[in-house]
Amino acid sequence: MSKPSRSTNISRSTGRVSRIDRERLLGQQGCVAWLTGLSGSGKSTLAHHLESLLLDQGHLVYVFDGDNLRHGLCGDLGFSAEDRTENIRRAGEVAALLADTGAIVLCSFISPYRADRERVRKTVGDGRFLEVHVDASVAVCEQRDPKGLYKKARQGLIPEFTGIDAPYEAPIDPEVRVDTGTLGIAEAAQQIHHRLSVRGFLSPPTTPETAP
Amino acid sequence: MSKPSRSTNISRSTGRVSRIDRERLLGQQGCVAWLTGLSGSGKSTLAHHLESLLLDQGHLVYVFDGDNLRHGLCGDLGFSAEDRTENIRRAGEVAALLADTGAIVLCSFISPYRADRERVRKTVGDGRFLEVHVDASVAVCEQRDPKGLYKKARQGLIPEFTGIDAPYEAPIDPEVRVDTGTLGIAEAAQQIHHRLSVRGFLSPPTTPETAP
């Protein structure tokens, strides 16, 4: 980071631009809200609802999605435990870069393994990371089955399907837990928004020392 | 390297917020200026100079750097031809994501292979991509040798060093070519800035149809 300056009127002279310069420009602070949960739990719907909410309030927000990632950067990976771990490792590295632009990054990944999520937290930095458990039971998700994947998994057409024949390790102490089995999407989005706000991410940085 | 084909049962999620919404917010259009050239040609210095210039003008700009990438996302890769190709493939995917936030992304990668750079162009999208050849001869770069790498390469301590015992395929028809052997950094940065401006990236999108 560049030398701390308390004045917002001084234009940064020479030297490298730091994240805090971008955050001052944007009037917010880069962070990662990591939505984890079963397929069909509502992660993507929730992320996109929150995205709209934040954009309408003038925030630079970006949804980073497991499905989209797998088409490009992680197109070489499958769904074995090893490949899932590598997928989440790469996703964490990219999420950290995206947040480094100053954007509020909403990540939507099943990310079933606790250790993988903890590694992402370390990569992003604990002070910039919110784990959000999008919590709905297998029964609820299977009843919704928006993409027909549970049906296929039960028929044995999708091996190693999280919640059916692959494990999901629920977060023990997430920053936010939303029960989408009982809560509406708007209400769930509000809870995450509230946490982002309380943590200061929706406000500009004041001094380098007080960045979250 | 395997072609991305292992991920199945993936549907691309589409949200209500699009890149153009973010670009309207930012008053600019996301793009990638891809600085390619020999080690010591001035890519990083140039990228950071341009970064300062653009930030001072109120633009969200991000320098994406080969060295940083190799510590994280590409920490598993070496410098063989195959690993260089995979490194640039991943860098291209990440650059495309970064530009998708609406940021002006300045990439600084030796990226010695023409085919690799052309693949990045396709990944980012031709309309959002500027190839910038940071052009300085091996003789000039070796004389500068800011990191002492050429000396080590000549001593045989760094195998497969671009320009010494690994090839550099110069761009044939880059969008910008700056000769840092004769041009000052400020002047070179202005030339790239001019091209970004002419292409419309420094202005907000008008209608979806006129996006570059």
Side-chain angles (χ1 to χ4, degrees):
Chain A
M1 263 188 207
S2 60
K3 291 223 167 122
S5 166
R6 285 180 178 275
S7 170
T8 54
N9 294 323
I10 292 173
S11 78
R12 202 190 30 68
S13 50
T14 51
R16 293 191 171 193
V17 172
S18 69
R19 172 166 57 193
I20 211 162
D21 294 309
R22 291 185 289 273
E23 291 177 334
R24 286 196 181 115
L25 180 76
L26 295 170
Q28 64 183 42
Q29 291 172 73
C31 61
V32 170
W34 187 273
L35 280 61
T36 171
L38 296 171
S39 179
S41 61
K43 297 182 299 299
S44 285
T45 309
L46 191 49
H48 285 291
H49 191 96
L50 183 56
E51 181 190 31
S52 288
L53 195 67
L54 286 166
L55 186 95
D56 287 347
Q57 294 171 344
H59 290 291
L60 181 68
V61 54
Y62 190 74
V63 171
F64 182 40
D65 186 277
D67 290 355
N68 292 335
L69 184 68
R70 280 186 174 273
H71 284 288
L73 187 66
C74 295
D76 55 322
L77 302 174
F79 291 89
S80 68
E82 193 182 38
D83 278 6
R84 283 179 194 265
T85 290
E86 176 61 9
N87 185 54
I88 297 303
R89 185 189 77 82
R90 292 188 199 170
E93 296 285 350
V94 175
L97 288 169
L98 289 165
D100 198 37
T101 67
I104 294 159
V105 184
L106 309 178
C107 295
S108 167
F109 291 89
I110 295 173
S111 49
Y113 299 117
R114 211 169 278 144
D116 294 349
R117 297 192 302 266
E118 283 312 298
R119 181 152 68 156
V120 173
R121 181 188 294 275
K122 280 197 187 116
T123 301
V124 172
D126 192 37
R128 305 248 168 208
F129 185 82
L130 291 182
E131 188 178 28
V132 179
H133 184 196
V134 183
D135 193 7
S137 65
V138 173
V140 164
C141 295
E142 189 163 6
Q143 198 175 13
R144 290 176 185 159
D145 205 8
K147 301 173 192 168
L149 297 177
Y150 283 91
K151 195 180 170 191
K152 281 188 189 171
R154 291 289 184 196
Q155 291 168 343
L157 299 173
I158 310 175
E160 301 182 281
F161 193 83
T162 300
I164 303 294
D165 56 353
Y168 179 76
E169 301 173 359
I172 293 171
D173 189 24
E175 275 81 358
V176 186
R177 190 187 148 275
V178 286
D179 179 351
T180 57
T182 60
L183 222 56
I185 284 294
E187 209 174 344
Q190 268 304 339
Q191 291 195 6
I192 307 170
H193 185 282
H194 177 72
R195 182 58 53 179
L196 288 169
S197 177
V198 164
R199 283 280 291 271
F201 297 124
L202 307 185
S203 306
T206 46
T207 73
E209 289 77 17
T210 62
Chain B
M1 193 181 36
S2 60
K3 213 170 186 262
S5 61
R6 294 192 59 199
S7 295
T8 50
N9 297 301
I10 295 299
S11 62
R12 209 177 263 277
S13 73
T14 49
R16 283 176 293 163
V17 173
S18 68
R19 172 166 56 192
I20 210 162
D21 294 310
R22 291 185 289 273
E23 291 177 335
R24 287 198 180 110
L25 180 76
L26 295 170
Q28 64 183 41
Q29 291 172 72
C31 60
V32 170
W34 187 272
L35 280 61
T36 171
L38 296 172
S39 178
S41 61
K43 297 182 299 301
S44 286
T45 309
L46 192 48
H48 285 290
H49 192 96
L50 183 55
E51 181 189 30
S52 288
L53 195 66
L54 286 166
L55 185 95
D56 286 346
Q57 295 171 342
H59 290 292
L60 182 67
V61 54
Y62 190 74
V63 170
F64 182 40
D65 187 276
D67 290 352
N68 293 334
L69 184 68
R70 279 186 174 274
H71 287 292
L73 186 65
C74 296
D76 55 324
L77 301 174
F79 290 88
S80 68
E82 193 182 39
D83 278 5
R84 282 180 195 265
T85 291
E86 176 61 9
N87 185 54
I88 298 304
R89 184 189 77 83
R90 292 188 199 170
E93 295 285 351
V94 174
L97 287 168
L98 288 165
D100 198 37
T101 68
I104 294 159
V105 184
L106 309 179
C107 296
S108 167
F109 292 88
I110 295 173
S111 49
Y113 299 116
R114 213 168 276 143
D116 293 350
R117 297 192 303 266
E118 284 311 299
R119 181 151 69 155
V120 173
R121 182 188 292 275
K122 279 195 188 117
T123 300
V124 171
D126 192 36
R128 304 247 168 209
F129 185 83
L130 291 183
E131 188 179 28
V132 179
H133 184 195
V134 183
D135 194 6
S137 66
V138 173
V140 164
C141 294
E142 188 164 4
Q143 199 175 14
R144 290 176 185 159
D145 205 8
K147 300 175 193 167
L149 297 176
Y150 283 90
K151 194 178 171 194
K152 281 189 188 171
R154 291 288 184 197
Q155 292 169 342
L157 299 173
I158 310 176
E160 301 182 282
F161 192 82
T162 299
I164 304 294
D165 56 353
Y168 178 76
E169 300 173 359
I172 293 170
D173 188 24
E175 275 81 358
V176 187
R177 188 187 151 276
V178 286
D179 179 351
T180 57
T182 59
L183 221 58
I185 284 294
E187 209 175 343
Q190 269 304 339
Q191 291 195 7
I192 308 170
H193 185 282
H194 178 72
R195 181 59 53 179
L196 288 169
S197 177
V198 164
R199 282 281 292 271
F201 297 125
L202 307 185
S203 307
T206 48
T207 72
E209 289 76 20
T210 61

